[in-house]
Amino acid sequence: MAIDSVADKGYEDPFMIKKGYDDPDFAKLPELLHSDDQDGGWNKCWEQGVTPWDLGQPTPMIMHLLLKDMLPKGRILVPGCGSISSSSPNANYVSFLKEDFFSWHPTELFDLIFDYTFFCAIEPYMRLAWARQVRDLLKPDGELITLMFPISDHVGGPPFNVSIADYEELLYPMGFKALSIVDNELAVDRRKGKEKLGRWKKSIDHS
């Protein structure tokens, strides 16, 4: 099956934050992500080191929220977390689990779920299942934080485009209310203007 390069589709892939289109890894990315292998293209990207989206350091917004003591205390889940460097500021307090997010039933629920570009990486038809699982994995009165990215009108993916309405249409019926939705002023350069930070509270009545 022929795979068009992202550049040929007429938009700049916002996942590309470290390297340019002349890098060999960039040319390999579409082929790997559209792999028919049962293990999935994402696994192949990590295995082959084709991860141009990886910051190599904690995401600035995570560090900001942590240093300002603006995160709920307790158990935190980062689905599809990728590398430890981008998703967590302190490896001493992190455990990695290899589970199917959509069918996982942990023995203990979470106080906070942080969705950092997981939503945009899954196929759009899976988003309703994502919302249901987020609801089911959070404790009553738990919180969901979403880095809403990429807010754009590009076609195809991953990453698939998102909008505020996409989240609202999924989360409101699940009993979430939006505490705040603001521009992510700490977004890395290529994501500026395409990323918002959403904070959502789960209603106790929908636990």
Side-chain angles (χ1 to χ4, degrees), residues 11 25 35 47 58 60 71 74-75 82 99 104 124-125 140 171-172 179-180 186-187 196-197 201:
Y11 67 92
D25 283 353
S35 170
E47 289 168 0
L71 294 175
R75 285 168 53 84
E99 298 284 352
W104 184 39
Y125 75 85
L171 293 174
Y172 286 161
L179 301 178
S180 63
L186 298 179
K196 292 184 182 292
L197 178 72
K201 196 74 170 178

Side-chain angles (χ1 to χ4, degrees), residues 42-78:
W42 292 111
N43 286 347
K44 286 191 173 183
C45 287
W46 287 105
E47 289 168 0
Q48 298 185 27
V50 183
T51 57
W53 60 80
D54 186 36
L55 292 178
Q57 62 184 26
T59 303
M61 180 52 71
I62 293 180
M63 289 301 301
H64 171 76
L65 295 174
L66 180 65
L67 293 174
K68 295 293 184 180
D69 198 25
M70 297 173 65
L71 294 175
K73 301 294 190 296
R75 285 168 53 84
I76 300 174
L77 173 66
V78 185

